[in-house]
Amino acid sequence: MKKLFLLFFIAIALNSFAQNGRMNQQTSGVEFYFGKKDYVPATVQLTNGKTLMGEVQDFDSPNIIEIRDFGFKPSDLENDINYNRKKIRFRKNADDTSIQISADSINYITHFDIETKEIKEFKRLNILTTNNNGKIEKTDRVIFLPLIKKDSINFYGYNMIAQGKYVRTVFYLNNSKDNLAINPLDFSMMDLFKNQSKIGQEVVNAIKHVTNDCPEFQKILDQKMDVSEEMKKDAIQKYQKMQSDVNEGKKNLKTKKEKRDFESAVFANYYLDPFIKLTESYKTMCK
């Protein structure tokens, strides 16, 4: 198998984050784009295997977070955003009396998003983090996260924007065999200017933890980088082409929301691609 230049791809992603993160850093605060308070048709899968079909209230949010301060890590928001739900209000239909279901008893919730015409899944996951010594440890945070990509290694998360433009995708990796999740890129924009090599190693450690059931795959993550100047140049050109494609694609769109959503989708696919390729290799090697 060819070497997977993980840290190189991470370095490119970090550089891109830094490029996007230079916008208006003097302002502060976070704005959440919350969904409607109405009930939406949904299926609730309980931890005991039972399935409830009906409607849940106010669970369509937030799907986008706008940041105006680059000095915090994504994990700083986990206890504040609407994903940190303790109870879910549920009813079978509009004529039924609603009940509150403890979040502890829920495995995941799926619902049909009328606006995007997509089925969305929110899974309740135990969050892991990297401590100051670089070790992976459990936190007391158990939150619902929206699904990005379902596979043997699942991707959950959401997009962040600043001044209406895409900044980064906050994503968590979860081995489908458990209910643990970790954000491999849990750092602030300001951290980018401190110690990228340390951040890179923490990213590798996070991926190794999620894939620790496959020793053969772990060996790949330990391989040294061998990155040529030509590869760096090629990666930068691909990034610049992506930016050009985004600018060109937005010309055919009318509303700010359409342009924002298009930009976010293209950038998110770009940033997630090296991690998705890694998880595809994991799936191939660790059947």
Side-chain angles (χ1 to χ4, degrees):
M1 175 183 289
K2 294 181 178 179
K3 285 187 177 181
L4 300 176
F5 304 102
L6 174 64
L7 293 181
F8 170 64
F9 285 119
I10 292 171
I12 293 296
L14 296 184
N15 179 67
S16 301
F17 283 142
Q19 299 276 342
N20 291 342
R22 291 192 179 111
M23 301 179 297
N24 199 18
Q25 295 190 39
Q26 71 274 15
T27 56
S28 62
V30 179
E31 181 176 352
F32 301 104
Y33 286 73
F34 288 99
K36 297 179 180 179
K37 298 292 184 181
D38 300 337
Y39 283 87
V40 294
T43 298
V44 181
Q45 180 71 40
L46 302 179
T47 55
N48 63 7
K50 185 178 180 180
T51 300
L52 303 178
M53 300 185 69
E55 301 175 336
V56 294
Q57 186 183 40
D58 185 31
F59 206 82
D60 195 21
S61 57
N63 53 12
I64 291 177
I65 294 178
E66 180 161 9
I67 60 173
R68 298 176 183 178
D69 180 354
F70 295 84
F72 60 83
K73 301 188 298 183
S75 58
D76 295 336
L77 305 177
E78 289 170 355
N79 284 327
D80 297 323
I81 62 177
N82 211 26
Y83 294 142
N84 183 27
R85 309 294 291 276
K86 303 303 181 184
K87 293 182 179 180
I88 303 299
R89 188 169 290 280
F90 171 85
R91 69 186 185 187
K92 293 181 180 178
N93 52 58
D95 299 322
D96 185 36
T97 301
S98 66
I99 61 173
Q100 287 192 334
I101 304 174
S102 171
D104 291 337
S105 64
I106 298 174
N107 184 12
Y108 62 85
I109 295 175
T110 58
H111 75 86
F112 182 72
D113 188 300
I114 298 177
E115 183 177 338
T116 63
K117 309 300 180 186
E118 297 175 338
I119 295 177
K120 291 186 176 180
E121 175 183 314
F122 291 80
K123 187 173 177 65
R124 194 162 188 268
L125 294 161
N126 294 272
I127 303 302
L128 302 173
T129 190
T130 302
N131 64 25
N132 293 332
N133 297 321
K135 302 294 184 182
I136 307 296
E137 62 182 15
K138 272 190 176 185
T139 71
D140 59 358
R141 297 188 295 278
V142 186
I143 62 177
F144 286 95
L145 286 171
L147 178 69
I148 296 176
K149 182 179 184 296
K150 199 176 190 70
D151 212 323
S152 54
I153 300 296
N154 299 314
F155 287 71
Y156 292 89
Y158 52 89
N159 290 329
M160 280 187 171
I161 62 173
Q163 299 178 6
K165 293 182 177 295
Y166 174 88
V167 174
R168 67 190 293 185
T169 296
V170 176
F171 70 96
Y172 296 73
L173 299 178
N174 156 252
N175 192 308
S176 59
K177 298 174 183 177
D178 59 45
N179 272 2
L180 304 173
I182 187 167
N183 177 358
L185 299 180
D186 185 25
F187 52 81
S188 72
M189 293 298 181
M190 302 308 296
D191 290 336
L192 296 178
F193 305 100
K194 295 178 181 178
N195 194 339
Q196 289 195 13
S197 61
K198 179 182 177 182
I199 292 175
Q201 188 56 54
E202 289 181 356
V203 174
V204 172
N205 291 343
I207 296 172
K208 291 178 75 172
H209 188 88
V210 175
T211 60
N212 63 7
D213 59 339
C214 185
E216 186 178 357
F217 181 76
Q218 300 277 299
K219 295 177 183 178
I220 292 178
L221 297 176
D222 289 330
Q223 291 180 355
K224 294 182 179 180
M225 281 193 301
D226 185 15
V227 182
S228 67
E229 289 300 319
E230 188 64 30
M231 290 178 61
K232 293 180 182 179
K233 182 179 178 181
D234 180 64
I236 293 174
Q237 288 177 342
K238 287 181 178 179
Y239 178 76
Q240 292 173 339
K241 183 181 185 305
M242 178 195 62
Q243 288 184 309
S244 176
D245 291 342
V246 167
N247 294 334
E248 192 64 31
K250 288 165 66 174
K251 292 179 180 179
N252 301 319
L253 302 175
K254 297 180 179 180
T255 68
K256 289 183 178 180
K257 182 180 182 303
E258 288 177 332
K259 294 178 180 180
R260 182 197 70 197
D261 291 348
F262 172 75
E263 180 181 62
S264 295
V266 175
F267 271 83
N269 287 335
Y270 172 83
Y271 288 128
L272 292 177
D273 185 61
F275 295 93
I276 290 175
K277 287 180 178 177
L278 273 175
T279 57
E280 290 292 335
S281 298
Y282 162 85
K283 183 172 66 172
T284 301
M285 298 176 64
C286 313
K287 295 180 180 178

